[in-house]
Amino acid sequence: MSDLTLVIANKNYSSWSLRPWLAMTELGIPFSERMVKFDSEDWARNIDRLSPTRLVPVLWEGEPGAGFATFDSIAIVERLHELHPQAGIWPADPYARARARSLVADFHAGYSALRNAMPMNIRSRHPGKGMNPEVARDIDRLCDQWSRTRAEFGAGGPFLFGAFSSADAFFTPVASRFVTYGVSIDGEARAYQEALLNTSAMRAWTEEALKETEFVAMDEPYA
């Protein structure tokens, strides 16, 4: 198997970069990180070589820009599942695995009100910003999904399916958004949020995000 390199962007802003990075880091899949920051000279000079879509993340097997590329966060975690079938990318139980894939695909394709009004911004605090009826409905539906999934599949650990999986990696940026925008949730959903934010991988990502100083205007609608 070729060496793996994950191409990502700013840790403060790039929620899609965070997802496969979390899965690989928390589940112990070895990889190298190649950061290309938004609106930088590095981005302008190298993004065409490093990303077939000019978007991040991208998983490279072999030399970045010359090896084999898998792009889009869902495709990346599926490729990781093929490369490391015993790592726990998806739950082992087939029903739990089907549910995990359903939840990830549902979030990837939907929840646009929440994602657009509350972009990930780890180092900032904007309590109350971005909230509107559409966003509130997205939050309610998501918290209901979290609680129902935990009740059905969550025995044996604090995550959606007990042990950490890529489903949890996909929802960790949402847990971070709730901190940034002062969204208060309770019950099982709150306990799950705290579990996501306290993984060793998320703590490491957050520490690095807080060191960044770049300002990306499109990700700062409330600055």
Side-chain angles (χ1 to χ4, degrees), residues 53-71:
T53 61
R54 292 183 58 85
L55 301 171
V56 290
V58 182
L59 180 71
W60 284 94
E61 298 170 49
E63 180 67 23
F68 181 79
T70 301
F71 42 91

Side-chain angles (χ1 to χ4, degrees), residues 45-179:
R45 187 172 59 247
N46 291 304
I47 195 61
D48 285 331
R49 177 177 63 86
L50 293 174
S51 174
T53 61
R54 292 183 58 85
L55 301 171
V56 290
V58 182
L59 180 71
W60 284 94
E61 298 170 49
E63 180 67 23
F68 181 79
T70 301
F71 42 91
D72 185 89
S73 53
I74 290 183
I76 289 171
V77 297
E78 291 290 1
R79 180 60 180 152
L80 291 170
H81 180 64
E82 294 174 341
L83 294 172
H84 294 273
Q86 305 306 316
I89 288 290
W90 296 116
D93 175 80
Y95 286 124
R97 189 165 59 249
R99 180 64 55 80
R101 284 173 161 145
S102 296
L103 291 172
V104 165
D106 181 45
F107 184 82
H108 190 274
Y111 295 91
S112 59
L114 169 60
R115 291 190 286 110
N116 292 335
M118 295 181 174
M120 191 175 83
N121 190 332
I122 290 173
R123 69 171 180 246
S124 295
R125 296 292 181 269
H126 299 295
K129 298 293 187 181
M131 184 60 73
N132 60 50
E134 291 76 18
V135 172
R137 282 195 288 272
D138 275 356
I139 292 170
D140 287 345
R141 186 164 82 88
L142 187 59
C143 287
D144 182 63
Q145 291 275 29
W146 289 353
S147 298
R148 288 175 179 271
T149 303
R150 285 278 304 138
E152 187 172 358
F153 295 104
F159 301 107
L160 286 179
F161 300 92
F164 187 90
S165 74
S166 59
D168 305 298
F170 265 77
F171 290 121
T172 301
V174 185
S176 174
R177 283 172 161 98
F178 289 170
V179 175

Side-chain angles (χ1 to χ4, degrees), residues 12-28:
N12 184 55
Y13 297 120
S14 185
S15 60
W16 293 112
S17 295
L18 171 56
R19 290 175 166 100
W21 189 98
L22 273 177
M24 297 173 80
T25 303
E26 190 69 17
L27 295 172

